[in-house]
Amino acid sequence: MALERLQGRVYRWYIASPLAFADWRDPQLDELKANPTNDPNGLIWNLSCALNVDGSTFDIADSELDDSLTFCQEAGDTSVTSRNAEVVFESERSSVPWVGAAATVPNGFNSANLAFSLLAWRGIEYFAILSIGEEPEDPFADGDELYIARVVTDHGGDEMGTGENIRLSQNFAFRGDVAKLRVEA
């Protein structure tokens, strides 16, 4: 993977339906591992191999802070008013058409087609999930750290350039829920 060569770290990028978890703040291993074959009819999907490194972003760091004070607060007090997540998935477009949900690789189903089928439509709510440190195809395990943000799809746009593959860029709208957590069995 490109990021492993550049940074010595590997990433897993997932997207999940809000129905995938009983409690998204405490995802269970069986919920995270519920779709190991990336079945299009599942509730959680591994999009790592379809996403382009240059155009994909998962940043949940910059919070908006309220630093206004009452007469009872001490100087320097701040409180978080909102957390801002910037999540962009830029997926490769496949030149092999997907012929339907029952299709398999010989008939055109691949991870790029799966990503397109999930990301191309406006107004669909998901949890975007980033896991750092494991190979993209490795299943989730006890102790894995995850970053999760509730997002909704916007109008996906094609990114094109001379001599480049066409990619779909989905700049998600943020829904306000964000968490960094550790998976525990």
Side-chain angles (χ1 to χ4, degrees), residues 105-127:
V105 173
N107 295 327
F109 177 75
N110 57 43
S111 59
N113 284 329
L114 175 64
F116 182 82
S117 72
L118 295 168
L119 302 177
W121 321 111
R122 184 178 183 276
I124 302 172
E125 192 167 302
Y126 291 114
F127 285 108

Side-chain angles (χ1 to χ4, degrees), residues 45-116:
W45 304 273
N46 182 346
L47 300 184
S48 302
C49 293
L51 299 186
N52 184 284
V53 171
D54 292 334
S56 297
T57 304
F58 201 117
D59 184 5
I60 56 175
D62 296 331
S63 299
E64 292 297 322
L65 300 176
D66 175 13
D67 57 3
S68 62
L69 303 175
T70 69
F71 288 102
C72 299
Q73 290 176 296
E74 294 182 23
D77 280 355
T78 59
S79 60
V80 175
T81 58
S82 66
R83 300 189 189 280
N84 294 326
E86 179 186 356
V87 181
V88 179
F89 282 10
E90 186 177 277
S91 62
E92 299 290 342
R93 294 286 301 271
S94 177
S95 62
V96 180
W98 185 19
V99 296
T104 58
V105 173
N107 295 327
F109 177 75
N110 57 43
S111 59
N113 284 329
L114 175 64
F116 182 82

